[in-house]
Amino acid sequence: MASELDQLEANIVGAEGVGERIDALVALGRALLRKDIARAGEAGDEALALAQEIGDVYREGICLGCLAAIANRVGEHEQAIEYGQKSVAILESWGELGELVLSLETVAVAYWRLSDLSESLVYFLKQLAVCEQLGDEEAHGRVLSGLGVLYSAMGEMEKAIAYEQQGLALFRKIGNKDREALLLNNMSYHYMKMGDYDEALRLGLVGLELAESEKDIYRIIVLAGTLGETYMKKGDIGEAERHCLRGLALLDQHADPNSELDLRFFMGQIKLAQGETAEALTYLEVAVALGERVGNKDALYQAYELMGETRVALGDYQAAYEAQLRCNRIKDEIYNEERATKLRQIEVAHRTAVAEKEASHYADLYASEQSRRQLTEILQQLGQAMVDQVDLGQMLAEILRQLAVLVSFDRGAVLLWRDERLVPITVWPEGSGVWEEVPLVAIGEGPLGIILGEKRPFLTTTTADLDLSPLLRPYFAGGSWLGVPLLRQEVVIGVLTLARREAVAYDEEGVQMARALAAQAAVTIENKRLYQQSEQRAEALTTLAQVGEDILASLDLQVVLERLATHAHQLFNAIQTVLWLRQDEGELFAATVAIGKYSDELRADPMRLGEGFAGGVAQSGQAEIINDMDEGERGKHVPGTPEREETPAALMCAPLQMHNQTIGVLVLYREKAAGSFMTGDLEFLVGLARQAIIAIENARLYRRVQKFNEQLEQEVVARTADLQVAYKQLERLDRTKSDFIAVTAHELRTPITILRGYGQLLEQDALLVGHDYQMNLVSGMVNGARRMHEIVNTMLTMVKVDSRSLELQAEAISLGDIVKKVVRQFRVEIGERKQTVIVEEGMDDLPVVQGDREALMIVFENLITNGIKYTPDGGQIMMRGRMHEVDGRQMVEVQVEDTGIGIAGEALPLIFDKFYQTGEVANHSSGKTKFKGGGPGLGLAIARGIVEAHGGRLWAESEGYDESRLPGSIFYLLLPSKG
């Protein structure tokens, strides 16, 4: 089902046009009825909105039917009736019986759910009549099932079972296991009502097995209710409870208020029988709420009656009295057995008679629908023929031939209106003689004149009495006659005529079909006209395409303009073509391109703005055709060219405009023998002028880019030289700094060692022992020297990392052991800060790595120091490890996470740089592990250098810096495992 739903969703996305999208949405809505009712409703609502938006009444009817089924499923039966009746009205008017079956069934079920059995019967019998017309076994089986349920509600169990057995046979025949399980459930229910519990259980268990094999959750729930009630009536309370509880458990997978109502009512009965009165009341209260919600009066009556008994058992007599009052009110509404039985019998007889009349009505609808479908198929075939054929006469003959399948006539013709005459294009049957054109048809006179004037069909039962000329007689056979206008944008372009020898009138359906085929003929004629126009313009479009290719093929402006002018010269059969371009934004234009006999003379004589025909176009900026070169004094004679009496007969000019300024004019000359220029020619020449502008602009941009590139290359060379000088200076400074650090560290080591040595001697001097003041001074000196010694060692290590001279003594190491050892080193500092360090148990199980123990000790010392320093007092530091595969290599990952102040996003890339300090250095407190304590800023840089020397990675992550929220940080250490 998932793949089916995925395909339906894909159909919505890939729909071409609104109509296809509506159809796809409806299909999805119906498929989701039992799977996802909320999504089904969304699909149905969207489909209806689209159908109403485009005014598609037919699809609106289908959408309303879908929404009615959805409303039924969620218990909104009155809404289902409203939607369903609107759908039925629309589909009946369209004669669409296939969709009508579904809407009739939905309304029938809704009325049944509301206990309006007579109205339900009306719609079921209508559905039965339509199904018999369609021969639809699936729908026929559904309506038999519905009638079985309806007659069961009316107390006629034998008739109900008879309908159900017919439906069961149909569903088994067509292999619909879903409906087969439903019918088995219904028959089980009917036998249970008749007291035949053994047969009821047999049918119900067969249905349950079938539903389980199909994994049909909804049917399993329904059958659970039926079997639960049957076992209860048989006295097997345990089995009854088992089935009901199973049904309730499955409601999480498929919510159905009606089934839940039944199951909770039965559980109330079961619990009451088991003496669990309070629990019975809980089930019954939910059942009553569901009954009120779905409007099931029968179920409400029974639930309130049982609730009254339960309240009495609990000693709550006031509530029992209120429940019984409500029960009695419902009973008055729906029960008066004797009167209801009589009314039903009368109603059934009446509804059956009505249904017989409805069957005749639907038979007519079916016949009409078949004709419409046939017409649709013919129109589709003609549409394909229009694609495959080009000959107008053949296409119109095919239209007449297909029309003869739908409407009987003896003679037919298609005539086109040309120069106040109707000219026959094709006649039917073929070989029925030569039909002359109809001369000078007077608008409004005679049948043809009326059709031309009023733009509507004209039909008559007999034409024998009409005063017809010999030329018109072939179009009228003496009997009835029908003429239909061929309309193109409300203009009559021709007439379709159909003649019969007998005086048998054309009915309305025949007229409508003739109009549909006449519309198709009009489309055919229009397509032929457009095809001829497209052929005429094909050469022009090919020329434009070639010009575009020429523009892209070369950046040489002169070459491109010469090609463009050549194309125009050849296309318009010109004798002279000139492309004038403005010189230095002045008033003179030079003949940049000239093709023809007098090209040299034109190049030698510049054109002035406003001078001659071309100069006038340059001044006005408006394209122009001059088909009379003797017009006024606008012409200008170019020395060396013929005098006026020998000049070309026609001229066409198009300005080249850029940034609201005319920069040139494209001019073509033509001899009288080649004919005048037309408006379409001028439009095309304007297009060529625009192409010329593009070529000119491209050339200018290209020159500008070339100049910019030259300047840029010079700038890049100069900047590169500056950068190389600066880089060398930085290299020198970096080496000098590293050398200074190394020298300084070595120079400091000796005096620091002396200070530490003398300080330690003083700590052991007997003269000072016992003198607190002197011992404090000595202790401060020793601690300071030790701290200086650590800093010096750190600086030397940093120099080794920088110079890549770090010597590693590799051995197999357990990271868990190193971590624990480092943590023990810091126990005093951790205790002073009241912090907690947690090392997860998994650290001991990590595989060994190959590395330098002392170097890795430094790494973890720096990471733990960092965590202690930037975590407030009372915070927590966690260390965990795991295996991690990177690019096919097994790596050991250790995480050091703290609950500290975090790291700002912009600082994350910098914290591993040498000497980097977070925050204001002046605000830092002293001390290696004091909160935000200061330091040389080398710890993390050294740690990363050592890790990378081991072939690993070290990085950090943090949500940001915040001393109040304390987002914390996580440092990740990745090392290759020994294996």
Side-chain angles (χ1 to χ4, degrees):
M1 186 64 183
S3 60
E4 178 188 346
L5 293 177
D6 291 342
Q7 183 57 53
L8 290 172
E9 292 279 10
N11 292 345
I12 296 172
V13 175
E16 295 182 3
V18 179
E20 278 193 22
R21 182 174 179 83
I22 293 170
D23 296 340
L25 285 165
V26 170
L28 179 64
R30 287 174 174 168
L32 288 170
L33 270 175
R34 295 190 195 160
K35 299 293 179 182
D36 186 345
I37 197 67
R39 177 69 182 105
E42 292 171 1
D45 287 336
E46 184 182 349
L48 179 61
L50 288 173
Q52 291 173 338
E53 181 180 332
I54 66 174
D56 190 331
V57 178
Y58 168 66
R59 282 193 169 92
E60 182 180 347
I62 295 175
C63 295
L64 287 166
C66 177
L67 287 171
I70 293 168
N72 253 353
R73 182 64 62 187
V74 297
E76 297 176 358
H77 305 306
E78 292 179 353
Q79 182 70 70
I81 290 169
E82 180 184 344
Y83 283 145
Q85 287 178 336
K86 289 179 181 178
S87 174
V88 167
I90 292 172
L91 297 173
E92 280 183 338
S93 68
W94 279 78
E96 178 50 60
L97 301 188
E99 292 289 341
L100 181 60
V101 166
L102 300 175
S103 295
L104 288 169
E105 182 178 3
T106 301
V107 178
V109 171
Y111 273 121
W112 170 66
R113 289 291 189 186
L114 292 174
S115 301
D116 192 340
L117 303 184
S118 60
E119 282 300 322
S120 179
L121 180 63
V122 170
Y123 283 92
F124 272 131
L125 290 174
K126 284 184 178 182
Q127 183 190 0
L128 184 62
V130 177
C131 291
E132 289 171 349
Q133 289 294 329
L134 286 174
D136 186 340
E137 291 182 329
E138 170 79 23
H140 197 177
R142 291 201 309 271
V143 73
L144 289 170
S145 170
L147 286 168
V149 173
L150 192 63
Y151 278 109
S152 170
M154 294 166 66
E156 299 185 33
M157 295 300 174
E158 292 181 359
K159 186 176 283 190
I161 290 174
Y163 276 119
E164 300 285 5
Q165 286 174 335
Q166 294 178 53
L168 183 62
L170 273 174
F171 287 132
R172 281 177 173 165
K173 175 185 174 184
I174 62 179
N176 188 329
K177 296 185 182 299
D178 173 55
R179 287 284 173 174
E180 185 182 343
L182 172 65
L183 266 293
L184 287 166
N185 171 77
N186 292 352
M187 291 173 67
S188 173
Y189 178 80
H190 298 154
Y191 277 109
M192 182 263 293
K193 286 293 185 183
M194 294 169 66
D196 190 345
Y197 302 131
D198 291 335
E199 182 64 11
L201 288 174
R202 185 186 72 80
L203 293 170
L205 290 170
V206 172
L208 180 62
E209 184 179 353
L210 183 60
E212 287 173 338
S213 69
E214 294 295 305
K215 298 180 181 178
D216 189 337
I217 302 299
Y218 173 67
R219 299 293 180 223
I220 294 172
I221 293 170
V222 173
L223 281 157
T226 302
L227 288 167
E229 186 177 5
T230 306
Y231 275 116
M232 187 168 51
K233 288 185 179 295
K234 194 177 180 183
D236 191 341
I237 299 299
E239 277 297 299
E241 182 177 21
R242 184 175 70 83
H243 282 284
C244 289
L245 288 175
R246 183 189 182 192
L248 287 171
L250 290 174
L251 287 169
D252 289 338
Q253 300 179 44
H254 182 92
D256 181 62
N258 289 292
S259 297
E260 185 179 358
L261 166 59
D262 293 338
L263 289 166
R264 291 195 180 277
F265 173 72
F266 298 151
M267 282 301 299
Q269 286 183 302
I270 291 167
K271 291 300 177 184
L272 194 59
Q274 292 173 338
E276 300 177 19
T277 315
E279 194 169 350
L281 181 62
T282 301
Y283 280 111
L284 290 172
E285 285 175 339
V286 177
V288 165
L290 287 166
E292 294 283 4
R293 184 177 128 203
V294 301
N296 190 329
K297 294 181 180 178
D298 288 328
L300 270 176
Y301 165 71
Q302 296 178 63
Y304 272 117
E305 186 175 44
L306 190 60
M307 182 181 281
E309 295 177 18
T310 308
R311 292 288 190 184
V312 169
L314 290 170
D316 190 349
Y317 299 108
Q318 178 62 34
Y321 173 72
E322 292 173 358
Q324 192 60 47
L325 282 179
R326 181 62 179 143
C327 174
N328 291 338
R329 281 198 295 271
I330 297 173
K331 182 179 179 180
D332 289 342
E333 293 176 12
I334 62 173
Y335 286 101
N336 185 329
E337 291 297 335
E338 184 177 349
R339 184 178 61 180
T341 301
K342 290 180 181 178
L343 286 174
R344 286 183 189 130
Q345 291 172 346
I346 295 170
E347 191 71 29
V348 168
H350 170 67
R351 297 303 185 187
T352 304
V354 170
E356 292 174 354
K357 294 180 180 178
E358 292 286 347
S360 174
H361 168 65
Y362 286 124
D364 294 340
L365 278 178
Y366 180 70
S368 175
E369 181 192 26
Q370 291 298 98
S371 296
R372 289 183 183 180
R373 286 182 178 176
Q374 193 174 14
L375 175 60
T376 301
E377 290 173 2
I378 287 174
L379 289 174
Q380 288 175 345
Q381 292 172 7
L382 290 172
Q384 184 59 45
M386 289 169 59
V387 174
D388 297 337
Q389 296 188 42
V390 178
D391 184 86
L392 180 61
Q394 290 180 3
M395 287 190 285
L396 294 176
E398 179 64 17
I399 288 173
L400 284 174
R401 189 182 71 80
Q402 295 286 1
L403 182 57
V405 176
L406 301 171
V407 183
S408 64
F409 58 91
D410 298 306
R411 296 180 185 177
V414 177
L415 304 95
L416 292 187
W417 182 252
R418 291 176 179 169
D419 299 327
E420 299 184 348
R421 296 171 182 267
L422 283 169
V423 179
I425 303 301
T426 190
V427 297
W428 191 90
E430 296 179 5
S432 57
V434 178
W435 296 18
E436 301 292 338
E437 66 182 44
V438 180
L440 299 175
V441 176
I443 303 299
E445 293 184 8
L448 295 173
I450 291 172
I451 293 171
L452 293 170
E454 299 184 12
K455 304 176 185 178
R456 64 174 177 82
F458 181 92
L459 64 161
T460 178
T461 305
T462 177
T463 58
D465 298 333
L466 292 176
D467 183 15
L468 300 174
S469 69
L471 293 177
L472 286 177
R473 285 174 187 165
Y475 300 99
F476 298 84
S480 57
W481 184 85
L482 171 64
V484 180
L486 276 59
L487 296 170
R488 184 183 69 215
Q489 297 178 351
E490 297 304 315
V491 175
V492 179
I493 63 171
V495 177
L496 169 68
T497 72
L498 305 178
R500 290 174 176 170
R501 294 188 181 93
E502 298 180 359
V504 179
Y506 292 92
D507 59 19
E508 180 61 28
E509 187 174 356
V511 174
Q512 292 303 321
M513 289 184 176
R515 293 184 72 172
L517 271 295
Q520 188 73 44
V523 170
T524 300
I525 295 165
E526 177 66 7
N527 285 349
K528 179 63 176 177
R529 183 183 67 83
L530 293 174
Y531 177 75
Q532 291 172 340
Q533 284 186 351
S534 67
E535 280 189 322
Q536 294 169 358
R537 297 183 65 87
E539 187 180 357
L541 291 173
T542 302
T543 299
L544 271 180
Q546 186 60 53
V547 169
E549 290 178 8
D550 291 342
I551 290 173
L552 295 174
S554 175
L555 289 170
D556 188 320
L557 180 60
Q558 185 64 32
V559 171
V560 173
L561 294 180
E562 285 177 357
R563 289 178 182 174
L564 185 147
T566 300
H567 285 305
H569 188 81
Q570 294 171 350
L571 179 65
F572 293 110
N573 196 21
I575 59 168
Q576 190 76 51
T577 299
V578 187
L579 180 60
W580 301 96
L581 287 184
R582 188 188 289 265
Q583 301 298 298
D584 301 325
E585 298 186 3
E587 293 191 353
L588 293 180
F589 291 73
T592 303
V593 178
I595 303 171
K597 184 177 180 181
Y598 301 103
S599 300
D600 293 337
E601 288 79 1
L602 290 166
R603 289 193 186 95
D605 187 35
M607 178 191 75
R608 186 174 294 278
L609 185 69
E611 185 179 60
F613 293 117
V617 168
Q619 190 171 48
S620 67
Q622 299 295 319
E624 189 174 356
I625 293 174
I626 298 96
N627 282 322
D628 183 2
M629 294 288 288
D630 294 326
E631 176 188 330
E633 296 298 325
R634 292 178 61 196
K636 176 207 171 191
H637 178 250
V638 176
T641 63
E643 296 295 335
R644 182 179 297 273
E645 60 272 13
E646 301 177 27
T647 57
L651 173 147
M652 182 167 59
C653 304
L656 278 63
Q657 290 193 307
M658 184 184 296
H659 309 306
N660 296 321
Q661 183 183 20
T662 301
I663 63 168
V665 182
L666 181 57
V667 186
L668 279 79
Y669 300 86
R670 179 185 279 176
E671 289 182 330
K672 183 177 291 185
S676 301
F677 288 111
M678 308 299 290
T679 302
D681 298 335
L682 184 62
E683 291 173 356
F684 185 77
L685 187 66
V686 170
L688 285 179
R690 293 195 184 103
Q691 297 281 59
I693 293 168
I694 293 172
I696 294 168
E697 183 67 9
N698 285 350
R700 290 180 176 177
L701 289 173
Y702 178 67
R703 287 196 296 271
R704 190 179 303 170
V705 168
Q706 277 187 317
K707 185 176 180 180
F708 175 75
N709 284 342
E710 291 171 0
Q711 294 174 346
L712 188 60
E713 285 178 5
Q714 295 173 0
E715 289 289 331
V716 167
V717 169
R719 293 292 181 268
T720 302
D722 293 342
L723 285 172
Q724 288 175 341
V725 171
Y727 180 71
K728 289 177 180 179
Q729 289 176 344
L730 286 173
E731 277 189 325
R732 255 193 328 273
L733 287 172
D734 193 52
R735 283 196 304 272
T736 302
K737 179 184 68 175
S738 297
D739 293 343
F740 173 76
I741 292 172
V743 170
T744 301
H746 280 290
E747 291 297 324
L748 288 173
R749 255 188 164 180
T750 301
I752 290 172
T753 301
I754 295 171
L755 282 172
R756 287 185 64 189
Y758 284 128
Q760 289 170 354
L761 290 173
L762 289 173
E763 282 182 323
Q764 298 169 9
D765 193 320
L767 296 175
L768 296 177
V769 174
H771 296 277
D772 292 341
Y773 176 73
Q774 286 84 352
M775 288 301 295
N776 283 338
L777 294 176
V778 172
S779 177
M781 180 179 68
V782 171
N783 288 338
R786 184 174 62 252
R787 176 72 178 130
M788 289 177 68
H789 189 267
E790 289 175 359
I791 292 172
V792 167
N793 284 341
T794 299
M795 293 169 68
L796 288 172
T797 303
M798 189 70 250
V799 170
K800 291 178 182 179
V801 169
D802 271 352
S803 62
R804 301 186 183 277
S805 59
L806 194 64
E807 296 179 0
L808 300 176
Q809 302 298 322
E811 60 177 302
I813 299 171
S814 168
L815 291 180
D817 292 342
I818 291 179
V819 167
K820 289 179 180 179
K821 185 175 181 180
V822 172
V823 170
R824 285 195 296 272
Q825 289 179 6
F826 286 92
R827 62 182 180 276
V828 175
E829 290 84 352
I830 292 168
E832 290 175 351
R833 298 287 310 282
K834 297 182 177 59
Q835 293 175 339
T836 303
V837 177
I838 299 173
V839 181
E840 291 189 356
E841 293 180 1
M843 291 290 295
D844 293 330
D845 300 328
L846 293 175
V848 297
V849 298
Q850 196 75 12
D852 187 302
R853 183 179 300 275
E854 295 302 322
L856 292 177
M857 286 281 291
I858 294 172
V859 171
F860 284 104
E861 286 172 0
N862 282 316
L863 293 178
I864 292 176
T865 300
N866 186 80
I868 295 171
K869 187 188 300 185
Y870 292 105
T871 300
D873 292 356
Q876 184 174 274
I877 300 166
M878 291 146 289
M879 305 186 74
R880 62 181 72 91
R882 63 170 182 147
M883 288 300 297
H884 196 61
E885 185 172 324
V886 180
D887 297 330
R889 296 174 63 201
Q890 291 298 319
M891 308 288 282
V892 179
E893 181 184 279
V894 178
Q895 297 178 13
V896 181
E897 182 177 0
D898 62 59
T899 59
I901 59 178
I903 305 168
E906 63 274 11
L908 274 173
L910 305 174
I911 59 174
F912 294 100
D913 291 349
K914 292 180 295 185
F915 305 114
Y916 180 77
Q917 299 278 355
T918 59
E920 292 292 334
V921 177
N923 294 335
H924 285 193
S925 61
S926 61
K928 185 177 180 180
T929 57
K930 298 294 185 182
F931 184 46
K932 299 193 297 184
L938 297 175
L940 291 179
I942 291 171
R944 173 174 275 185
I946 293 172
V947 170
E948 289 178 350
H950 281 78
R953 287 179 57 211
L954 178 63
W955 74 97
E957 293 180 0
S958 177
E959 294 180 10
Y961 175 87
D962 192 327
E963 293 195 23
S964 58
R965 190 168 58 88
L966 300 176
S969 309
I970 305 177
F971 283 80
Y972 295 87
L973 171 64
L974 208 61
L975 290 171
S977 70
K978 183 182 179 182

